[in-house]
Amino acid sequence: MGRAKHFFMVTDPRTVLLSSETLDEAKVIVDDYRAGNAKPGLTEDELWRAKYIYDSAFHPDTGEKMFVIGRMSAQVPMNMSITGSMLTFYRTTPAVVFWQWVNQSFNAVVNYTNRSGDAPISVNQLGAAYVSATTGAVVTALGFKSLAKRLPPIVSRFVPFAAVAAANCINIPFMRQRELKYGIPVTDENGNRLGESPTAAKQAIVQVVVSRIGMAVPAMAIPPVIMNALEKKAFMKRFPILNAPIQVGLVGLCLVFATPLCCALFPQKSSMSVSGLEADLQERIHQTSPNTTTVYFNKGL
């Protein structure tokens, strides 16, 4: 519940509208407080507001300001537009291809922006990951669309969800492949860095994939059922132009709750036993920090 409350604040779409000056001021307040140099007269409410603004815009490992559409606070407005369009324009192959490409391009930005660790990823790696993930999503969507032709009409409405779920299993590992190869930083309970672990990266990526699919379930499963019923009504047949805005509105309503709740499924600062790490890293930790039995890492979002 505490994580859910936290992410309701961090994913608040209004923070996307904050100026660079406001974001930088929040970072100064947080950094100074952590360094023991609290701003004179700073109230607890002002500190918490600065903390939430900081968390919404700055990467937890690098401390860098994140690209605006890659922030979790941009998820609701961006996803409601893209997902609403995917659910509305699902009948033709060109529309399916176009909106899956748009969606996976957006997801690639989000996955890169919210990756775990502080190691850079090369342009070649980034390009290969993007092409692989986007191609996988489009092929999956077209495959499901072809299968759905032989099934009841309502089933075809769920093609976008099936494609998004499958694409998340492709996109996230591809965009974070460097972590799987070289590992992500693991620390002790005091934040002291102990090394990098590919095993921790695998756990982190699995948790993120589950969260992202869970995030898509309400937004892509509930509106199709409602729209299938509404489209049989006389007023919708008279005003078909209402289809897209109603669909986008329903998706947005679902995402307002699904985004923070699914971000909160797993702790962002995840943990695992030292005994579950790679043998060489275990040995190193036993030598440098013999009392450490659990390590912690940022799983990403």
Side-chain angles (χ1 to χ4, degrees):
M1 181 58 71
R3 292 200 301 274
K5 290 177 180 177
H6 167 78
F7 280 110
F8 266 105
M9 297 288 288
V10 170
T11 62
D12 185 343
R14 292 173 297 178
T15 60
V16 173
L17 303 175
L18 296 176
S19 66
S20 291
E21 292 75 18
T22 302
L23 298 178
D24 292 336
E25 182 182 347
K27 185 177 191 303
V28 169
I29 290 173
V30 171
D31 288 345
D32 286 351
Y33 185 84
R34 285 173 172 168
N37 303 315
K39 179 182 174 183
L42 181 70
T43 67
E44 187 174 333
D45 287 343
E46 289 172 339
L47 176 61
W48 278 110
R49 172 164 171 72
K51 173 71 163 57
Y52 281 121
I53 291 173
Y54 174 86
D55 287 344
S56 76
F58 293 89
H59 193 279
D61 289 330
T62 65
E64 294 176 356
K65 191 182 295 179
M66 295 185 286
F67 184 50
V68 63
I69 68 167
R71 299 173 193 167
M72 294 310 291
S73 51
Q75 284 283 292
V76 172
M78 292 296 296
N79 263 328
M80 68 183 284
S81 304
I82 297 171
T83 303
S85 297
M86 280 197 295
L87 294 176
T88 302
F89 308 110
Y90 66 92
R91 290 183 172 90
T92 67
T93 297
V96 169
V97 171
F98 176 74
W99 286 109
Q100 284 296 330
W101 169 73
V102 170
N103 186 51
Q104 291 312 312
S105 297
F106 169 64
N107 282 344
V109 173
V110 174
N111 295 334
Y112 174 74
T113 303
N114 293 280
R115 67 197 185 281
S116 177
D118 51 12
I121 181 170
S122 71
V123 175
N124 287 341
Q125 289 175 319
L126 196 58
Y130 169 70
V131 170
S132 302
T134 306
T135 302
V138 171
V139 169
T140 302
L142 293 177
F144 279 116
K145 185 176 185 298
S146 177
L147 289 173
K149 287 178 181 176
R150 297 187 290 273
L151 299 170
I154 182 67
V155 176
S156 63
R157 288 181 176 273
F158 291 93
V159 166
F161 169 67
V164 166
N168 272 318
C169 298
I170 301 169
N171 198 324
I172 295 170
F174 263 109
M175 292 306 294
R176 296 176 59 174
Q177 60 183 294
R178 182 182 173 84
E179 298 171 35
L180 291 170
K181 186 174 182 179
Y182 299 106
I184 56 176
V186 294
T187 68
D188 62 18
E189 60 182 359
N190 298 315
N192 300 310
R193 191 160 175 164
L194 302 171
E196 288 75 37
S197 169
T199 303
K202 290 175 188 174
Q203 178 176 308
I205 289 170
V206 167
Q207 291 178 348
V208 171
V209 168
V210 171
S211 295
R212 294 288 186 82
I213 292 175
M215 212 178 284
V217 169
M220 301 192 81
I222 297 173
V225 175
I226 297 174
M227 292 306 298
N228 196 58
L230 285 179
E231 285 180 4
K232 296 173 184 175
K233 305 293 182 183
F235 81 95
M236 283 296 286
K237 291 178 181 176
R238 198 177 310 131
F239 304 107
I241 197 171
L242 293 175
N243 190 304
I246 291 175
Q247 190 110 246
V248 170
L250 287 170
V251 170
L253 184 63
C254 293
L255 286 172
V256 163
F257 297 97
T259 300
L261 291 175
C262 288
C263 281
L265 281 176
F266 305 101
Q268 185 166 359
K269 187 179 180 182
S270 290
S271 61
M272 65 186 302
S273 171
V274 170
S275 61
L277 299 172
E278 295 76 13
D280 58 332
L281 183 55
Q282 285 187 47
E283 187 177 340
R284 207 182 323 150
I285 291 172
H286 289 321
Q287 290 175 354
T288 58
S289 184
N291 296 324
T292 299
T293 56
T294 303
V295 294
Y296 301 88
F297 52 92
N298 167 36
K299 72 172 177 64
L301 288 173

